[in-house]
Structures are given as structure tokens and as C-alpha cells.
């Protein structure tokens, strides 16, 4: 599969490198060519480019830029048409450089980031996923990660796009969990806030995870 990565920060690098190692063709897109090249150099057979090149390249596009609409970032609303667009974003809670400064006393936003992106790019097949997975967990070796059965909650209105992203999560060693449609994405975003409370202020650290386990009835 051809995967375009928009943003070479923690999530873009962790997921893009994981998928390149699984054999996908990955193009890292960045504002800074040198940053894209350094991300690509760390991943097998990956390429480097701009945000627009990543959008044009990917059948699947990972969107990691928080609070910037794709239409503004890419200069047009149709740049992601037909692509499976993974929204891994969470809202700003304070200083990302210092999770202990996160503020959890603010009300949840009325609309999820995934719905906002879907409205901004009506031709894209938007999927909410990976926002509850800390990047250090994504970077764990597949075998080590798989033994823990960590959930990736996957929400989308497009069943085919959802299935693609569940497959991409499972290749990395996660368990893909159907989290309903985009109208439910706000629940997955709220779940990430709870996890961030645990990671930061409650001191569990960046390997804390959140999963769904269904127990046998008897
Ligand atoms: N880090 C985690 O463990 C984690 C876990 C789950 C969810 N998330 C969520 O995933 C999203 C990305 O997190 P991250 O940790 O990867 O963030 P990050 O390290 O800051 O990377 C985000 C990337 O987005 C691009 N970017 C940022 N601001 C921009 C702007 N104003 N205009 C254009 N491009 C901009 C930059 O890409 P270039 O530098 O390549 O230009 C930047 O490296 C956030 O919404 C975060 O809440 C993060």
C-alpha cells in the first residue's frame, strides 16, 4: 500500500517507520525537506517530500498536524479526495513539552477533530485512529507489543476505510477495535484525554495504554 505521512513529528515518524518496516511504500512529508529526509533515512525504502507530495502519493494518508485544516495546509480542499485519511490528533491541553502542565478542567470540544477534518475534506475517507496510542508504544518491537493486546480504536463512516486501518494497526501488533462512526469520534478523543491524565499528572508514563477487553460471560 502507498502511505503518505503528513508531519514528521513523533506520530508521523513512529507510524511511518512501522509501516515501512511492514513493507509498505511510505513517503514522509514535512515543511522541512531535511526533516523529511531524516525520517525517510530511518525507514526502509521510504521517500521524502513535502506535505502536498505526501497527500498526492498516499492511498492512505496519516494526518498528524493538530489544529490546522488540511485544506489550509495543502492549499486546496480536494487534495485528499478518495484517500483513506487517518486522523490521530488530540486536542491541545497545555504544554506538550511538559505533560504535567496539561489542563483537564476544560470542557470537551463540541466537535471532534475527525469530524472537522471530514467536513473540511468532503472527498476524503476519514478514519479516527491511533490517538490513544503514545508514540513510544508504537515504536516497540511488534512481537513485544502484540503480547499485550493493545487496542487501537478505529472510528469511520466508511466501512472499507475502517477495515484498511484495522489491518494497518494489526500489522504493527495492535488489536483494531471498531469504535463506531465519525459521530462517535469525540468519545475516542475523550478516551485519549483520560489516558493523557494517567500518563502525565498521574505519573504512569509514556508506556501507559488503554484497551477494550471483553470478558467471557461465565
Ligand atoms: N506524541 C504522541 O505520543 C501522540 C499520541 C497520540 C496522539 N497524538 C496526537 O497526534 C498529533 C501529532 O502529535 P505529535 O506528537 O506527532 O506532534 P509533533 O511531534 O509536534 O508533530 C506534528 C508535526 O506536524 C507538523 N506541524 C506542526 N505544526 C504545524 C503547523 N502550524 N503548520 C504545519 N505543520 C505543522 C510538523 O511537521 P514537520 O515538522 O514535518 O513540518 C510537526 O512535526 C497531535 O494532535 C497529538 O495530540 C500524539
Amino acid at each position: 500500500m502507498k502511505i503518505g505521512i503528513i508531519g514528521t513529528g513523533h506520530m508521523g515518524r513512529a507510524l511511518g517507520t512501522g509501516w515501512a518496516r511492514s513493507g509498505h511504500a511510505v513517503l514522509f512529508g514535512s515543511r522541512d525537506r531535511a526533516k523529511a529526509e531524516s525520517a525517510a533515512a530511518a525507514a526502509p525504502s521510504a521517500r521524502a517530500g513535502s506535505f502536498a507530495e505526501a497527500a498526492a502519493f498516499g492511498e492512505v494518508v496519516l494526518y498528524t498536524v493538530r489544529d490546522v485544516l488540511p485544506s489550509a495546509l495543502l492549499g486546496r480542499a480536494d487534495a485528499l479526495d478518495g484517500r483513506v485519511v487517518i486522523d490521530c490528533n488530540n486536542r491541545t491541553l497545555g504544554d506538550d513539552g511538559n505533560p504535567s502542565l496539561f489542563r483537564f478542567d476544560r470542557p470537551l470540544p463540541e466537535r471532534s477533530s475527525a469530524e472537522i477534518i471530514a467536513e473540511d475534506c468532503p472527498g476524503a475517507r476519514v478514519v479516527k485512529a491511533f490517538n490513544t496510542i503514545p508514540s513510544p508504544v508504537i515504536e516497540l518491537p511488534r512481537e513485544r507489543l502484540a503480547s499485550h493486546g493493545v487496542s487501537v480504536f478505529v472510528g469511520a463512516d466508511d466501512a472499507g476505510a475502517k477495515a484498511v486501518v484495522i489491518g494497518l494497526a494489526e500489522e504493527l501488533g495492535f488489536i483494531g477495535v471498531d469504535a463506531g462512526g465519525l459521530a462517535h469520534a469525540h468519545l475516542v478523543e475523550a478516551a485519549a484525554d483520560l489516558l493523557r491524565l494517567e500518563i502525565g499528572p498521574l505519573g504512569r508514563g509514556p508506556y501507559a495504554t488503554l484497551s477494550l477487553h471483553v470478558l467471557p460471560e461465565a
Side-chain angles (χ1 to χ4, degrees):
M1 196 159 255
K2 291 164 79 176
I3 304 179
I5 305 289
I6 297 193
T8 57
H10 297 94
M11 291 299 277
R13 281 178 183 245
L15 286 167
T17 304
W19 288 324
R21 287 192 181 135
S22 311
H24 297 287
V26 171
L27 191 151
F28 288 95
S30 175
R31 292 169 289 187
D32 175 346
R33 182 84 199 185
K35 243 186 117 185
E37 278 169 6
S38 111
S45 312
R47 302 180 214 181
S50 63
F51 289 151
E53 284 167 326
F57 177 81
E59 300 161 83
V60 173
V61 174
L62 174 72
Y63 193 76
T64 73
V65 185
R66 173 158 61 196
D67 295 335
V68 182
L69 290 175
S71 64
L73 190 88
L74 299 167
R76 37 191 279 222
D78 63 356
L80 295 171
D81 277 8
R83 281 138 179 90
V84 173
V85 174
I86 303 174
D87 169 36
C88 69
N89 291 287
N90 288 314
R91 65 177 170 144
T92 307
L93 285 174
D95 179 358
D96 268 358
N98 185 354
S100 64
L101 296 180
F102 282 176
R103 290 195 41 198
F104 293 91
D105 54 353
R106 297 175 180 156
L108 289 164
E110 270 189 19
R111 297 180 63 237
S112 66
S113 150
E115 289 169 298
I116 291 168
I117 289 174
E119 185 180 287
D120 182 58
C121 302
R125 306 165 72 195
V126 177
V127 180
K128 185 84 213 177
F130 295 105
N131 65 307
T132 61
I133 311 293
S135 63
V137 172
I138 298 167
E139 287 164 351
L140 289 172
R142 189 191 187 287
E143 299 64 35
R144 188 166 158 214
L145 178 59
S147 68
H148 297 290
V150 177
S151 300
V152 170
F153 298 100
V154 183
D157 293 338
D158 179 321
K162 187 186 281 184
V164 165
V165 177
I166 287 175
L168 288 172
E170 297 197 340
E171 282 177 26
L172 298 180
F174 294 101
I175 305 288
V177 174
D178 186 345
L182 284 187
H184 306 118
H186 68 107
L187 299 174
V188 187
E189 293 181 11
D193 280 1
L194 170 63
L195 180 62
R196 294 157 91 199
L197 176 72
E198 295 289 346
I199 288 173
L202 298 181
R204 311 254 183 215
Y207 292 93
T209 59
L210 201 60
S211 290
L212 180 75
H213 293 295
V214 180
L215 305 185
E217 277 182 31

